Amino acid sequence: QVQLVESGGGLVQTGDSLRLSCAASGRTFSTYIIAWFRQAPGTEREFVAQISGSDSTVYADSVNGRFTISRDNAKNMVYLQMRGLKPDDTAVYYCAAGLGMSLLRERYPYWGQGTQVTVSS
């Protein structure tokens, strides 16, 4: 089992950068796929990016080239570096852990509480 805590959200302006962090507990952290999802008001929670224990990554088309996911297995941390932020990026961002690479939120049994990112125009 793994517990996740996100941090780093905030209010920024269009074009700014922000780095989200996801701190994980558990001795087997490196075996988990870690993903970031986001949910804006009135919308479904959507996939943003994922990273395997061996640093294979997948990005949603909407963030590809602007966001970078990375992990530090020694520190049980995953990061989401966000650049060129747009108002459409405004959402609560969640990190999630699972055992297989997937874009589907149903495949991730462990979730953090989320961190709010607001991008003003």
Coordinates of all heavy atoms in Angstrom, one line a residue, residues 54-120:
S54 N 11.1 2.9 -14.0 CA 12.3 3.0 -14.8 C 12.2 4.2 -15.7 O 13.0 4.3 -16.7 CB 12.4 1.7 -15.8 OG 11.2 1.6 -16.6
D55 N 11.4 5.2 -15.3 CA 11.3 6.5 -15.9 C 10.7 6.6 -17.3 O 11.0 7.6 -18.0 CB 12.7 7.2 -15.9 CG 13.2 7.6 -14.5 OD1 12.4 7.7 -13.6 OD2 14.4 7.7 -14.4
S56 N 10.0 5.6 -17.7 CA 9.2 5.7 -19.0 C 8.1 6.7 -18.7 O 7.4 6.6 -17.6 CB 8.7 4.4 -19.4 OG 9.7 3.5 -19.7
T57 N 7.8 7.6 -19.6 CA 6.8 8.6 -19.4 C 5.8 8.6 -20.5 O 6.1 8.3 -21.7 CB 7.4 10.0 -19.3 OG1 8.2 10.3 -20.5 CG2 8.3 10.1 -18.1
V58 N 4.6 9.1 -20.2 CA 3.5 9.3 -21.2 C 2.8 10.6 -20.8 O 2.6 10.8 -19.6 CB 2.5 8.1 -21.2 CG1 1.3 8.4 -22.1 CG2 3.1 6.8 -21.5
Y59 N 2.4 11.4 -21.8 CA 1.8 12.7 -21.5 C 0.5 12.8 -22.3 O 0.4 12.2 -23.4 CB 2.7 13.8 -21.9 CG 4.0 13.9 -21.1 CD1 5.1 13.3 -21.6 CD2 4.0 14.6 -19.9 CE1 6.3 13.4 -20.8 CE2 5.1 14.7 -19.2 CZ 6.3 14.1 -19.6 OH 7.4 14.2 -18.9
A60 N -0.4 13.5 -21.7 CA -1.6 13.9 -22.5 C -1.2 14.9 -23.5 O -0.3 15.7 -23.4 CB -2.7 14.5 -21.5
D61 N -1.9 14.8 -24.7 CA -1.6 15.7 -25.8 C -1.7 17.2 -25.3 O -0.9 18.0 -25.8 CB -2.6 15.5 -26.9 CG -2.4 14.2 -27.6 OD1 -1.3 13.6 -27.4 OD2 -3.2 13.8 -28.4
S62 N -2.6 17.5 -24.4 CA -2.8 18.9 -24.0 C -1.6 19.5 -23.2 O -1.5 20.7 -23.1 CB -4.1 19.0 -23.2 OG -4.0 18.2 -22.0
V63 N -0.8 18.6 -22.7 CA 0.3 19.1 -21.9 C 1.7 18.7 -22.5 O 2.7 19.2 -22.0 CB 0.2 18.7 -20.4 CG1 -1.1 19.0 -19.8 CG2 0.5 17.2 -20.3
N64 N 1.7 17.9 -23.5 CA 3.0 17.4 -24.1 C 3.8 18.6 -24.5 O 3.3 19.4 -25.3 CB 2.7 16.4 -25.2 CG 3.9 15.6 -25.5 OD1 4.8 15.5 -24.8 ND2 3.9 15.1 -26.7
G65 N 5.0 18.6 -24.1 CA 5.9 19.7 -24.5 C 5.9 20.9 -23.5 O 6.8 21.7 -23.5
R66 N 5.0 20.9 -22.6 CA 4.9 22.0 -21.6 C 5.2 21.4 -20.2 O 5.7 22.1 -19.3 CB 3.6 22.7 -21.6 CG 3.2 23.4 -22.9 CD 2.0 24.2 -22.8 NE 0.8 23.4 -22.5 CZ 0.0 23.6 -21.4 NH1 0.3 24.6 -20.5 NH2 -1.1 22.9 -21.2
F67 N 4.7 20.2 -19.9 CA 4.8 19.6 -18.6 C 5.9 18.5 -18.7 O 6.0 17.8 -19.7 CB 3.5 19.0 -18.2 CG 2.4 20.0 -17.8 CD1 2.5 21.3 -18.1 CD2 1.2 19.5 -17.2 CE1 1.5 22.2 -17.8 CE2 0.2 20.4 -16.9 CZ 0.4 21.7 -17.2
T68 N 6.6 18.3 -17.5 CA 7.6 17.2 -17.4 C 7.4 16.5 -16.1 O 7.4 17.1 -15.0 CB 9.0 17.8 -17.5 OG1 9.2 18.5 -18.7 CG2 10.0 16.6 -17.4
I69 N 7.2 15.2 -16.2 CA 7.1 14.4 -15.0 C 8.4 13.7 -14.7 O 9.1 13.3 -15.6 CB 5.9 13.3 -15.1 CG1 5.6 12.6 -13.8 CG2 6.2 12.4 -16.2 CD1 4.4 11.8 -13.8
S70 N 8.7 13.6 -13.4 CA 10.0 13.0 -13.0 C 9.8 12.4 -11.7 O 8.8 12.7 -11.0 CB 11.2 14.0 -13.0 OG 10.9 15.0 -12.1
R71 N 10.7 11.5 -11.3 CA 10.6 10.9 -10.0 C 12.0 10.7 -9.4 O 13.0 10.6 -10.1 CB 9.9 9.5 -10.1 CG 10.6 8.4 -10.8 CD 9.7 7.3 -11.1 NE 9.3 6.6 -9.8 CZ 8.2 5.8 -9.7 NH1 7.5 5.5 -10.8 NH2 7.9 5.2 -8.6
D72 N 12.1 10.6 -8.1 CA 13.3 10.4 -7.4 C 13.0 9.2 -6.4 O 12.4 9.4 -5.3 CB 13.7 11.6 -6.6 CG 15.1 11.4 -5.9 OD1 15.4 10.2 -5.6 OD2 15.7 12.4 -5.6
N73 N 13.3 8.0 -6.8 CA 12.9 6.8 -6.0 C 13.6 6.8 -4.7 O 13.1 6.2 -3.7 CB 13.2 5.5 -6.8 CG 12.3 5.3 -8.0 OD1 11.1 5.8 -8.0 ND2 12.8 4.7 -9.0
A74 N 14.8 7.4 -4.6 CA 15.5 7.4 -3.3 C 14.8 8.3 -2.3 O 14.9 8.0 -1.1 CB 16.9 7.9 -3.5
K75 N 14.0 9.3 -2.7 CA 13.3 10.2 -1.9 C 11.8 9.9 -1.9 O 11.0 10.6 -1.2 CB 13.5 11.6 -2.3 CG 15.0 12.1 -2.1 CD 15.1 13.5 -2.5 CE 16.6 14.0 -2.4 NZ 16.8 15.4 -2.8
N76 N 11.4 8.9 -2.6 CA 9.9 8.6 -2.7 C 9.1 9.8 -3.2 O 8.1 10.2 -2.6 CB 9.3 8.1 -1.4 CG 9.6 6.6 -1.2 OD1 10.5 6.0 -1.8 ND2 8.9 6.0 -0.2
M77 N 9.7 10.5 -4.2 CA 9.0 11.7 -4.7 C 8.8 11.6 -6.2 O 9.6 11.0 -6.9 CB 9.9 12.9 -4.4 CG 10.1 13.2 -2.9 SD 8.7 13.8 -2.1 CE 8.4 15.4 -3.0
V78 N 7.7 12.2 -6.6 CA 7.4 12.5 -8.0 C 7.1 13.9 -8.2 O 6.4 14.6 -7.3 CB 6.2 11.6 -8.5 CG1 5.8 12.0 -9.9 CG2 6.6 10.1 -8.4
Y79 N 7.5 14.5 -9.3 CA 7.3 15.9 -9.6 C 6.6 16.1 -10.9 O 6.7 15.3 -11.8 CB 8.7 16.6 -9.6 CG 9.5 16.4 -8.4 CD1 10.6 15.4 -8.4 CD2 9.3 17.1 -7.2 CE1 11.3 15.2 -7.3 CE2 10.1 16.9 -6.1 CZ 11.1 15.9 -6.2 OH 11.9 15.7 -5.0
L80 N 5.9 17.2 -11.0 CA 5.3 17.6 -12.3 C 5.7 19.1 -12.5 O 5.2 20.0 -11.8 CB 3.8 17.5 -12.2 CG 3.1 17.8 -13.6 CD1 3.5 16.7 -14.6 CD2 1.6 17.9 -13.4
Q81 N 6.7 19.3 -13.4 CA 7.1 20.6 -13.7 C 6.2 21.1 -14.8 O 6.1 20.5 -15.9 CB 8.6 20.6 -14.2 CG 9.1 22.0 -14.6 CD 9.2 22.9 -13.5 OE1 9.8 22.6 -12.5 NE2 8.6 24.1 -13.6
M82 N 5.5 22.2 -14.6 CA 4.6 22.8 -15.5 C 5.1 24.1 -16.0 O 5.4 25.0 -15.2 CB 3.2 23.0 -14.9 CG 2.7 21.7 -14.2 SD 1.0 21.8 -13.6 CE 1.3 22.9 -12.2
R83 N 5.2 24.3 -17.3 CA 5.6 25.5 -17.9 C 4.6 26.0 -18.9 O 3.7 25.3 -19.4 CB 7.0 25.3 -18.7 CG 8.1 24.9 -17.8 CD 9.4 24.6 -18.6 NE 10.5 24.3 -17.7 CZ 10.8 23.1 -17.4 NH1 10.1 22.1 -17.8 NH2 11.9 22.9 -16.6
G84 N 4.7 27.3 -19.2 CA 3.7 27.9 -20.2 C 2.3 27.6 -19.8 O 1.4 27.3 -20.6
L85 N 2.0 27.9 -18.5 CA 0.6 27.6 -18.0 C -0.4 28.5 -18.6 O -0.2 29.6 -19.0 CB 0.6 27.7 -16.5 CG 1.3 26.5 -15.7 CD1 1.6 26.9 -14.3 CD2 0.4 25.3 -15.8
K86 N -1.6 27.9 -18.8 CA -2.7 28.5 -19.5 C -3.9 28.5 -18.5 O -4.0 27.6 -17.7 CB -3.1 27.8 -20.8 CG -1.9 27.6 -21.7 CD -2.4 26.7 -22.9 CE -1.3 26.3 -23.8 NZ -1.7 25.5 -24.9
P87 N -4.9 29.3 -18.7 CA -6.1 29.3 -17.9 C -6.8 27.9 -17.9 O -7.3 27.4 -16.9 CB -7.0 30.3 -18.4 CG -6.0 31.4 -19.0 CD -4.9 30.6 -19.5
D88 N -6.7 27.2 -19.1 CA -7.3 25.9 -19.2 C -6.6 24.8 -18.3 O -7.1 23.7 -18.1 CB -7.2 25.4 -20.7 CG -8.3 26.1 -21.5 OD1 -9.2 26.8 -21.0 OD2 -8.2 25.9 -22.8
D89 N -5.4 25.1 -17.8 CA -4.7 24.2 -16.9 C -5.3 24.3 -15.5 O -4.8 23.6 -14.6 CB -3.2 24.5 -16.9 CG -2.6 24.2 -18.2 OD1 -2.9 23.2 -18.9 OD2 -1.7 25.1 -18.7
T90 N -6.1 25.3 -15.2 CA -6.7 25.5 -13.9 C -7.5 24.2 -13.5 O -8.4 23.8 -14.2 CB -7.6 26.7 -13.8 OG1 -6.8 27.9 -14.1 CG2 -8.3 26.8 -12.5
A91 N -7.1 23.6 -12.3 CA -7.8 22.4 -11.9 C -7.2 22.0 -10.5 O -6.2 22.6 -10.1 CB -7.5 21.3 -12.9
V92 N -7.8 21.0 -9.9 CA -7.2 20.3 -8.8 C -6.3 19.2 -9.4 O -6.8 18.4 -10.2 CB -8.2 19.8 -7.8 CG1 -7.5 19.0 -6.7 CG2 -9.0 20.9 -7.2
Y93 N -5.1 19.2 -9.0 CA -4.2 18.1 -9.5 C -3.9 17.1 -8.5 O -3.7 17.4 -7.3 CB -2.8 18.8 -9.9 CG -2.9 19.6 -11.2 CD1 -3.6 20.7 -11.3 CD2 -2.3 19.1 -12.4 CE1 -3.7 21.4 -12.5 CE2 -2.3 19.8 -13.6 CZ -3.0 20.9 -13.6 OH -3.1 21.6 -14.8
Y94 N -4.1 15.8 -8.9 CA -4.0 14.7 -8.1 C -2.8 13.8 -8.5 O -2.7 13.6 -9.7 CB -5.2 13.8 -8.1 CG -6.5 14.5 -7.6 CD1 -7.3 15.3 -8.5 CD2 -6.9 14.5 -6.3 CE1 -8.4 15.9 -8.1 CE2 -8.0 15.1 -5.9 CZ -8.8 15.8 -6.8 OH -9.9 16.5 -6.3
C95 N -2.1 13.2 -7.6 CA -1.2 12.1 -8.0 C -1.8 10.8 -7.6 O -2.6 10.8 -6.6 CB 0.2 12.3 -7.4 SG 0.4 12.2 -5.7
A96 N -1.5 9.8 -8.3 CA -2.1 8.5 -8.1 C -1.0 7.4 -8.4 O -0.1 7.6 -9.1 CB -3.3 8.3 -9.1
A97 N -1.2 6.3 -7.7 CA -0.3 5.2 -7.8 C -1.0 3.9 -8.2 O -2.1 3.6 -7.7 CB 0.5 5.0 -6.5
G98 N -0.4 3.2 -9.1 CA -0.9 1.9 -9.6 C 0.2 1.0 -10.0 O 1.4 1.4 -9.9
L99 N -0.1 -0.2 -10.5 CA 0.9 -1.2 -10.8 C 1.0 -1.4 -12.3 O 1.8 -2.3 -12.7 CB 0.6 -2.5 -10.1 CG 0.7 -2.4 -8.6 CD1 0.3 -3.7 -7.9 CD2 2.1 -2.1 -8.1
G100 N 0.3 -0.7 -13.1 CA 0.4 -0.8 -14.6 C 0.3 0.5 -15.2 O -0.5 1.4 -14.8
M101 N 1.0 0.7 -16.4 CA 0.8 1.9 -17.1 C -0.6 2.0 -17.7 O -1.0 1.1 -18.4 CB 1.9 1.9 -18.3 CG 3.3 2.0 -17.8 SD 3.9 3.5 -17.1 CE 4.2 4.5 -18.6
S102 N -1.3 3.1 -17.4 CA -2.6 3.2 -17.9 C -3.0 4.7 -17.8 O -2.6 5.5 -17.0 CB -3.6 2.4 -17.0 OG -4.9 2.7 -17.5
L103 N -3.9 5.1 -18.8 CA -4.4 6.5 -18.8 C -5.7 6.5 -18.0 O -6.3 7.6 -17.9 CB -4.6 6.9 -20.2 CG -3.4 7.5 -21.0 CD1 -2.3 6.5 -21.1 CD2 -3.8 8.0 -22.3
L104 N -6.2 5.4 -17.6 CA -7.5 5.3 -17.0 C -7.4 5.5 -15.4 O -6.7 4.7 -14.8 CB -8.2 4.0 -17.3 CG -8.4 3.6 -18.8 CD1 -8.9 2.3 -18.9 CD2 -9.3 4.7 -19.4
R105 N -8.2 6.4 -14.9 CA -8.1 6.6 -13.5 C -8.6 5.4 -12.7 O -8.1 5.2 -11.5 CB -9.0 7.8 -13.1 CG -10.4 7.7 -13.4 CD -11.1 9.1 -13.0 NE -12.6 9.0 -13.2 CZ -13.2 9.3 -14.3 NH1 -12.5 9.6 -15.4 NH2 -14.5 9.2 -14.4
E106 N -9.4 4.5 -13.3 CA -9.9 3.3 -12.6 C -8.7 2.3 -12.3 O -8.9 1.5 -11.4 CB -10.9 2.6 -13.4 CG -12.2 3.4 -13.5 CD -12.2 4.5 -14.6 OE1 -11.2 4.5 -15.3 OE2 -13.1 5.3 -14.7
R107 N -7.6 2.5 -13.0 CA -6.5 1.6 -12.8 C -5.6 2.0 -11.7 O -4.6 1.3 -11.4 CB -5.7 1.5 -14.1 CG -6.5 0.9 -15.2 CD -6.9 -0.5 -15.0 NE -7.7 -1.1 -16.1 CZ -7.2 -1.7 -17.2 NH1 -5.9 -1.8 -17.3 NH2 -8.0 -2.1 -18.1
Y108 N -5.9 3.1 -11.0 CA -5.0 3.6 -10.0 C -5.8 3.5 -8.6 O -6.7 4.3 -8.4 CB -4.6 5.1 -10.3 CG -3.7 5.2 -11.4 CD1 -4.2 5.3 -12.7 CD2 -2.3 5.1 -11.3 CE1 -3.4 5.3 -13.8 CE2 -1.5 5.2 -12.4 CZ -2.0 5.3 -13.6 OH -1.2 5.3 -14.7
P109 N -5.4 2.6 -7.8 CA -6.1 2.5 -6.5 C -5.8 3.5 -5.4 O -6.5 3.6 -4.4 CB -5.8 1.0 -6.1 CG -4.5 0.8 -6.7 CD -4.5 1.5 -8.0
Y110 N -4.6 4.1 -5.5 CA -4.2 5.0 -4.5 C -4.1 6.4 -5.0 O -3.5 6.7 -6.1 CB -2.8 4.6 -4.0 CG -2.7 3.1 -3.6 CD1 -2.1 2.2 -4.3 CD2 -3.4 2.7 -2.4 CE1 -2.0 0.8 -3.9 CE2 -3.4 1.4 -2.0 CZ -2.7 0.5 -2.8 OH -2.7 -0.9 -2.4
W111 N -4.6 7.4 -4.2 CA -4.7 8.8 -4.6 C -4.4 9.7 -3.4 O -4.6 9.4 -2.3 CB -6.2 9.1 -5.0 CG -6.6 8.4 -6.3 CD1 -7.0 7.1 -6.4 CD2 -6.6 9.0 -7.6 NE1 -7.3 6.8 -7.7 CE2 -7.0 8.0 -8.5 CE3 -6.2 10.2 -8.1 CZ2 -7.2 8.2 -9.8 CZ3 -6.4 10.4 -9.4 CH2 -6.8 9.4 -10.3
G112 N -3.8 10.8 -3.8 CA -3.6 11.9 -2.9 C -4.8 12.7 -2.7 O -5.9 12.5 -3.4
Q113 N -4.8 13.8 -1.9 CA -5.9 14.6 -1.6 C -6.1 15.8 -2.7 O -7.1 16.4 -2.7 CB -5.8 15.2 -0.2 CG -4.9 16.5 -0.1 CD -3.4 16.2 -0.3 OE1 -3.0 15.1 -0.3 NE2 -2.7 17.3 -0.4
G114 N -5.0 16.0 -3.5 CA -5.1 17.0 -4.5 C -4.5 18.3 -4.1 O -4.5 18.7 -2.9
T115 N -4.1 19.1 -5.1 CA -3.6 20.4 -4.8 C -4.1 21.4 -5.9 O -4.1 21.0 -7.1 CB -2.0 20.5 -4.8 OG1 -1.6 21.8 -4.4 CG2 -1.4 20.1 -6.1
Q116 N -4.6 22.5 -5.6 CA -5.2 23.4 -6.5 C -4.2 24.2 -7.3 O -3.3 24.8 -6.7 CB -6.2 24.4 -5.7 CG -6.8 25.4 -6.6 CD -7.9 24.9 -7.5 OE1 -8.7 24.1 -7.1 NE2 -7.9 25.2 -8.8
V117 N -4.4 24.3 -8.6 CA -3.6 25.1 -9.5 C -4.6 26.1 -10.2 O -5.5 25.6 -10.8 CB -2.8 24.3 -10.5 CG1 -2.2 25.2 -11.5 CG2 -1.8 23.4 -9.8
T118 N -4.4 27.3 -10.0 CA -5.2 28.3 -10.7 C -4.3 29.2 -11.5 O -3.4 29.8 -11.1 CB -6.0 29.2 -9.7 OG1 -6.7 28.3 -8.8 CG2 -6.9 30.2 -10.4
V119 N -4.7 29.3 -12.8 CA -3.9 30.2 -13.8 C -4.8 31.3 -14.2 O -5.9 31.1 -14.8 CB -3.5 29.3 -15.0 CG1 -2.6 30.2 -15.9 CG2 -2.7 28.1 -14.5
S120 N -4.4 32.5 -13.9 CA -5.2 33.7 -14.3 C -4.8 34.2 -15.6 O -3.6 34.1 -16.0 CB -5.1 34.8 -13.2 OG -3.7 35.2 -13.2

